[in-house]
Amino acid sequence: MSKFRDACAALALLVLMSVAADVPAAGPDPTLHSAAAAQRALAPAARLPRAAFLEDRALTAVRLSPGGDQVAWLREQGQARSLMVLPTAGGAARILVGRTQARQLSWSRDGRWLFLRAPRSLAMVPVHSAGGMRTPLGGVEQRQVMKVDPSQPAAVLLRERVVAGDAERWRIVRMDAQGKRSVLREDAHWVHDVALDAAGRIVALARFDGDHDALYRVQPDGRLRAVLRLQPLERVNLLAAMDDGSLLLDGNPGGNFRRVLRLEADDTLRTLHEDPRHEADLDEVVLDPATQQPVAASYRSTVATTHGIGAAAPVLAAIARQLPGRDIGVQAAGASSTWLVSARAATLRDPQWYLYDARRGGLRRILDAPAAAGKAPPESQLSRKVAVSYRASDGMQVHGFVLLPPGVDPARAPLVAQVHGGPISHFRPGFDGVAQFLANRGYVVFQSNFRGSTGHGRAYTFAPQGDYGNGRVQQDVVDGVRWLLAQGIGDPQRVGIVGHSFGGYSTLLGLTFQPELFKVGVAGAPPADLGWAMRWLVMSGEQGDLPDRSLRQTLRALSLDATEPATQARLHAQSPSANAVRMRRPLLVMAGAVDRTVAIREVTHYVATLKAQATPVTLLVDPEGGHSPIDPIPREAYLFAMETMLQRHLGGPVPEPAGQRLRAYLRQNLRVAGPEFAALAQPAPSP
């Protein structure tokens, strides 16, 4: 038997070598092979129901009060949430608000109020008494919450649109917990962010100046003094104004990576912390609420790491020793010794929450009751996500992640390339419901953070030089798949590609131009012509009526501004739409009828073209859906349809049968039913 296995392995190696012939020679990746061996040695994961991957996190927006005496959070309850508060010294949690549409919460500086942000309203809720107030957001004023006012006991800063004839101006307003409003500034330009001194005066602001972003200091008389003119994809966030006249920032001006910065009183820019590995942008910086000094910085584009800054370094090191292998997040509490700690992982839908006593060094688990955990999939049944990097065929190092199903020989498993949207976005090391769903069905999942992705520095984002069609960006995905196959990960005869938005576009590219590699594709909300889609987005779509119109400048810098005829022509020539005649692989397309990011008419026109030439294609349209499915049944339909398509062409377990409501939804909304869905598209039999 051992000789037979050895012969099979040798034959498999020859196949892999032939498939990977276009990839630069590379030796075995020790980290990947070690992870594969560890996962293969585990018991196979139990097949979990689709519902396990549809549930949202049970607890969201968990926040420690500035004094460290209470933790507040939002507990999911169907389509709404309840506001909960727990004393850190011990005792039971209590419900502060029984039902709210809020998705974000913040503490006031004095810890006596909670600010709840819903899509269309802001509620100010007292912690120790009844009452409170609510103010609308959006509307003709396009009112938005900017941040909690750090200079006041209990207030927020709002940004509002003021229309005067054909002109518009932008007003920065302070509103306290009793509803009192004070106008702090009015500006002809869209203001991204502001910093206030201890007296509550705006001393710095960042705004969009019509063709670029810029940072200004605000003089006592209100006049502006330019400090930084920012280049495309350079960003700054104003974290705090210090007593010595310096500004605490995070961003990437004057450098490649996003990092923690201090702008000194003489306007010298100094780096306080950046990724020690020199491969990831700053993801999060934590301030001490009492001193406004940075205490921790997290980087999550490759291997997730959190580092203490200054005197907080030993505190973070002590926490990390007690939570090995976890992605740690912290919230400090001013003069208190209490810290709130989150522990995340790719195998945890919900973070684990702890209180850490910085004086005694102990961790205490909180918020872990079964009711709080909900229906989270068991961690033991989920797949480890491994950070990888590989050399593309032009020699550039590209980053990404691989999910390896437990108890499965990865050399014999079907391989699915999952491509992220954007493209100005990136995969992270944390929990991903779609990827874990696929891995639970036995698929190896490959997530490429191809060049052009964010999270790896500004130079990495600009590296494509506009080649987003059947060119360099797509080749990074293809090279990554072939590199994995050469590493013995994935069955080369069973490779698929899936993605949403730009990921859907990449799926169409893969099936059109690399059909020898990709056998099937699933595309969510895919633009079939990126040039046309980008032009529509900035002229008529969601970005067309946003007050911050910097997207056009960003696209121009990335050579993606399709309002320029030459760019539009170049992208069109490389598009799946212009090359539809080459598309022959089976394809599932899913879209929302009221999507304002990718026009539904572009999607339906492309599908009609494929259908006319007899390409096997299925189209599922959510009649009330936007860019991504939100409601439970459309979300389940997304997973069910994806699983059905992949199983038919790549193998794997037969999908869990669709319930009555899901079948009815599919019958009603399958606009085009390929052979994989013919039975579901038929009317229900008469009783």
Side-chain angles (χ1 to χ4, degrees):
M1 180 65 73
S2 61
K3 292 182 179 179
F4 176 77
R5 282 199 301 265
D6 292 342
C8 291
L11 178 61
L13 180 60
L14 289 174
V15 172
L16 294 176
M17 289 174 64
S18 65
V19 171
D22 294 333
V23 179
D29 183 295
T31 301
L32 179 60
H33 282 270
S34 175
Q39 291 295 98
R40 188 169 54 242
L42 298 174
R47 186 178 169 200
L48 302 175
R50 279 188 302 274
F53 303 94
L54 291 171
E55 297 287 337
D56 292 321
R57 285 178 175 173
L59 311 178
T60 58
V62 183
R63 298 289 181 265
L64 180 66
S65 65
D69 58 331
Q70 298 182 87
V71 175
W73 71 94
L74 297 171
R75 185 176 67 189
E76 292 290 335
Q77 293 182 325
Q79 297 299 302
R81 283 148 289 281
S82 57
L83 173 62
M84 309 291 295
V85 176
L86 174 75
T88 59
R94 63 189 177 99
I95 299 175
L96 204 58
V97 176
R99 189 173 181 84
T100 175
Q101 296 298 315
R103 296 184 180 276
Q104 297 174 285
L105 70 82
S106 304
W107 285 92
S108 63
R109 195 195 73 184
D110 63 7
R112 298 173 58 188
W113 294 79
L114 282 163
F115 304 129
L116 303 184
R117 277 185 268 181
R120 297 182 180 178
S121 66
L122 169 68
M124 300 186 177
V125 181
V127 178
H128 300 293
S129 62
M133 63 162 294
R134 183 185 306 270
T135 190
L137 300 177
V140 295
E141 299 92 354
Q142 298 184 14
R143 183 179 296 121
Q144 294 178 324
V145 178
M146 297 182 72
K147 60 174 65 175
V148 173
D149 189 336
S151 69
Q152 306 296 309
V156 294
L157 299 178
L158 305 173
R159 177 176 44 232
E160 298 176 347
R161 177 172 174 255
V162 180
V163 178
D166 294 334
E168 64 181 12
R169 296 179 64 81
W170 297 95
R171 183 177 290 164
I172 310 301
V173 177
R174 171 184 294 130
M175 186 169 70
D176 68 16
Q178 284 74 39
K180 180 182 177 181
R181 291 166 50 92
S182 306
V183 177
L184 302 185
R185 184 175 182 84
E186 193 170 297
D187 201 294
H189 297 272
W190 166 267
V191 177
H192 291 287
D193 201 0
V194 296
L196 286 75
D197 63 14
R201 185 180 70 85
I202 296 178
V203 293
L205 62 85
R207 73 180 190 184
F208 177 57
D209 277 356
D211 63 354
H212 67 281
D213 289 318
L215 176 65
Y216 294 90
R217 289 190 184 269
V218 182
Q219 306 301 312
D221 61 3
R223 290 183 299 171
L224 301 180
R225 179 170 63 80
V227 178
L228 293 173
R229 178 188 173 102
L230 302 178
Q231 301 301 311
L233 288 179
E234 283 188 344
R235 297 286 185 269
V236 293
N237 294 314
L238 292 162
L239 302 177
M242 314 309 290
D243 291 341
D244 62 1
S246 64
L247 298 172
L248 186 65
L249 318 170
D250 75 63
N252 60 349
N256 186 21
F257 292 101
R258 183 182 168 201
R259 56 211 190 278
V260 187
L261 300 163
R262 184 188 300 277
L263 185 71
E264 304 291 359
D266 63 0
D267 294 341
T268 301
L269 196 61
R270 185 161 62 92
T271 296
L272 300 183
H273 202 276
E274 61 183 334
D275 178 24
R277 298 162 63 100
H278 303 292
E279 62 183 20
D281 283 317
L282 175 73
D283 185 67
E284 180 183 22
V285 58
V286 178
L287 304 185
D288 183 315
T291 66
Q292 296 295 290
Q293 294 292 335
V295 296
S298 298
Y299 304 87
R300 298 189 173 97
S301 302
T302 54
V303 178
T305 57
T306 297
H307 304 269
I309 300 175
V315 177
L316 268 293
I319 294 172
R321 284 194 296 271
Q322 297 183 57
L323 297 170
R326 298 302 199 194
D327 172 9
I328 296 170
V330 298
Q331 297 176 40
S336 169
S337 65
T338 301
W339 291 55
L340 179 65
V341 179
S342 63
R344 295 176 169 85
T347 51
L348 287 174
R349 186 198 71 184
D350 294 275
Q352 297 169 342
W353 294 96
Y354 301 85
L355 292 174
Y356 179 76
D357 188 324
R359 294 193 181 97
R360 299 178 182 177
L363 281 172
R364 174 164 60 93
R365 182 84 178 265
I366 60 171
L367 312 183
D368 59 347
K375 299 178 181 178
E379 184 177 8
S380 62
Q381 304 304 307
L382 297 183
S383 296
R384 180 182 173 189
K385 182 184 282 192
V386 184
V388 297
S389 62
Y390 57 95
R391 292 287 176 186
S393 50
D394 67 348
M396 182 170 175
Q397 187 176 38
V398 180
H399 304 282
F401 297 95
V402 178
L403 283 84
L404 300 165
V408 171
D409 180 358
R412 293 178 170 83
L415 170 62
V416 175
Q418 181 188 18
V419 187
H420 68 68
I424 309 172
S425 181
H426 64 281
F427 286 115
R428 296 164 180 263
F431 180 83
D432 183 316
V434 172
Q436 288 288 358
F437 172 73
L438 294 176
N440 185 252
R441 269 50 181 170
Y443 300 101
V444 173
V445 181
F446 168 54
Q447 300 178 325
S448 175
N449 278 334
F450 47 82
R451 75 191 72 188
S453 302
T454 54
H456 297 283
R458 186 169 173 269
Y460 194 85
T461 305
F462 276 100
Q465 298 180 345
D467 200 1
Y468 290 88
N470 179 36
R472 193 59 259 172
V473 167
Q474 185 69 10
Q475 193 60 43
D476 281 356
V477 178
V478 172
D479 287 346
V481 171
R482 289 178 172 155
W483 173 79
L484 279 176
L485 294 174
Q487 295 287 325
I489 305 296
D491 179 347
Q493 300 306 314
R494 295 191 293 161
V495 179
I497 182 170
V498 305
H500 196 88
S501 194
F502 182 85
Y505 168 72
S506 176
T507 296
L508 303 187
L509 288 172
L511 298 188
T512 301
F513 296 107
Q514 294 92 33
E516 77 290 347
L517 181 63
F518 299 114
K519 308 304 189 292
V520 63
V522 179
D529 182 336
L530 189 63
W532 189 93
M534 292 295 98
R535 181 182 176 88
W536 181 84
L537 180 63
V538 299
M539 301 295 289
S540 306
E542 181 184 39
Q543 298 290 331
D545 58 1
L546 288 182
D548 177 9
R549 297 182 174 91
S550 62
L551 177 65
R552 180 174 295 183
Q553 279 64 39
T554 299
L555 294 176
R556 182 171 298 156
L558 294 171
S559 299
L560 278 175
D561 181 12
T563 61
E564 298 174 347
T567 300
Q568 186 172 13
R570 171 176 56 81
L571 292 172
H572 174 71
Q574 289 188 313
S575 71
S577 179
N579 294 275
V581 68
R582 302 177 62 170
M583 167 70 87
R584 293 298 174 188
R585 287 296 190 189
L587 169 67
L588 165 65
V589 176
M590 295 180 280
V594 290
D595 190 343
R596 295 199 63 231
T597 301
V598 174
I600 186 63
R601 68 177 183 268
E602 180 188 6
V603 176
T604 56
H605 178 269
Y606 177 71
V607 170
T609 301
L610 296 184
K611 185 179 179 183
Q613 66 186 34
T615 298
V617 62
T618 294
L619 174 63
L620 176 64
V621 177
D622 181 0
E624 299 178 359
H627 191 52
S628 300
I630 295 176
D631 294 333
I633 291 298
R635 290 173 63 194
E636 184 180 5
Y638 197 102
L639 290 187
F640 175 82
M642 177 183 292
E643 181 183 15
T644 298
M645 195 73 180
L646 295 177
Q647 189 275 332
R648 179 69 64 91
H649 297 281
L650 301 183
V654 176
E656 172 190 350
Q660 184 176 356
R661 291 182 64 196
L662 178 56
R663 292 185 66 89
Y665 176 87
L666 292 168
R667 279 195 300 271
Q668 182 177 2
N669 299 306
L670 277 166
R671 305 291 178 85
V672 177
E676 304 87 355
F677 299 92
L680 288 166
Q682 300 299 319
S686 301

